[in-house]
């Protein structure tokens, strides 16, 4: 079976003002715009799973339907979500044995996944996108595109 990769990103302040929509369609911030552009132009890698950390909903999959909301992630909120998010990640990682994981999260969001290293398979590669927003997005974009290249190399 094809080795799977996992991208964890935070939800965006910028949202489409629709009462209920799929998380993927709702979020419209810079990270999402870049991912949607890759999706339009060459398709996202088939071996890529994306999970979004939402201040309101915790760890969600892009295809889940959510209601429009406005909520900021705070340290307190991140700590409230931590246990449930780690539990969800434990199950997800156990099922998929990810070889490559990229985390593109702001400071408070990072608190909600603290300890993720302990959940990972031995040989998996964990990358944190660091720097300002522009730098983080550029790292994420290159990472996603590298998965596509690897896939072509494997064929």
């Amino acid at each position: 079976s094809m080795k799977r990769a996992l991208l964890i990103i935070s939800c965006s302040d910028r949202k489409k003002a629709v009462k209920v929509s799929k998380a993927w369609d709702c979020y419209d911030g810079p990270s999402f715009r870049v991912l949607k552009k890759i999706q339009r132009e060459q398709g996202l890698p088939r071996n890529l799973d994306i999970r979004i950390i939402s201040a309101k909903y915790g760890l969600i999959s892009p295809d889940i339907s959510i209601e429009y909301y406005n909520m900021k992630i705070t340290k307190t909120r991140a700590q409230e979500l931590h246990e449930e998010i780690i539990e969800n990640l434990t199950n997800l990682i156990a099922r998929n044995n990810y070889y490559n994981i990229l985390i593109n999260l702001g400071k408070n969001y990072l608190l909600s996944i603290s300890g993720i290293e302990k959940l990972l398979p031995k040989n998996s590669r964990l990358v944190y996108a660091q720097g300002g927003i522009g730098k983080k997005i550029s790292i994420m974009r290159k990472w996603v595109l590298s998965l596509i290249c690897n896939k072509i190399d494997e064929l």
Side-chain angles (χ1 to χ4, degrees):
S1 67
M2 192 183 268
K3 287 185 153 182
R4 301 202 65 73
L6 175 65
L7 170 63
I8 301 177
I9 54 177
S10 44
C11 61
S12 62
D13 282 344
R14 194 185 173 125
K15 301 178 188 73
K16 300 257 165 75
V18 182
K19 178 118 178 69
V20 178
S21 62
K22 289 203 185 320
W24 182 251
D25 300 327
C26 171
Y27 298 121
D28 197 31
S31 288
F32 287 91
R33 291 189 164 200
V34 165
L35 291 170
K36 287 171 190 183
K37 185 168 194 274
I38 295 173
Q39 186 184 41
R40 277 195 312 276
E41 290 177 359
Q42 62 241 81
L44 290 165
R46 279 199 311 274
N47 66 330
L48 175 62
D49 290 335
I50 298 175
R51 288 296 178 274
I52 302 160
I53 297 183
S54 150
K56 178 164 183 182
Y57 294 104
L59 189 81
I60 57 175
S61 144
D63 52 11
I64 196 167
S65 285
I66 60 172
E67 285 190 20
Y68 183 85
Y69 68 95
N70 200 351
M71 188 173 181
K72 285 259 188 288
I73 189 92
T74 58
K75 282 186 175 166
T76 307
R77 182 59 183 149
Q79 282 154 353
E80 283 169 8
L81 291 168
H82 181 262
E83 194 181 338
E84 185 196 340
I85 286 178
I86 288 293
E87 195 178 315
N88 287 339
L89 282 172
T90 303
N91 296 333
L92 186 68
I93 290 165
R95 280 200 311 273
N96 293 287
N97 207 27
Y98 295 107
Y99 79 102
N100 199 347
I101 295 158
L102 179 82
I103 294 172
N104 180 9
L105 296 174
K107 211 167 50 187
N108 285 343
Y109 285 98
L110 283 170
L111 297 171
S112 73
I113 61 159
S114 93
I116 189 175
E117 295 84 1
K118 297 186 213 108
L119 311 177
L120 301 181
K122 282 276 182 293
N123 303 326
S124 63
R125 174 171 173 261
L126 176 66
V127 181
Y128 287 92
Q130 286 171 327
I133 182 90
K135 183 87 175 82
K136 281 183 168 167
I137 286 173
S138 144
I139 291 167
M140 178 187 72
R141 183 174 170 278
K142 285 198 185 102
W143 183 86
V144 172
L145 293 175
S146 80
L147 296 177
I148 297 174
C149 299
N150 292 348
K151 192 169 73 177
I152 291 166
D153 292 346
E154 282 170 11
L155 296 178

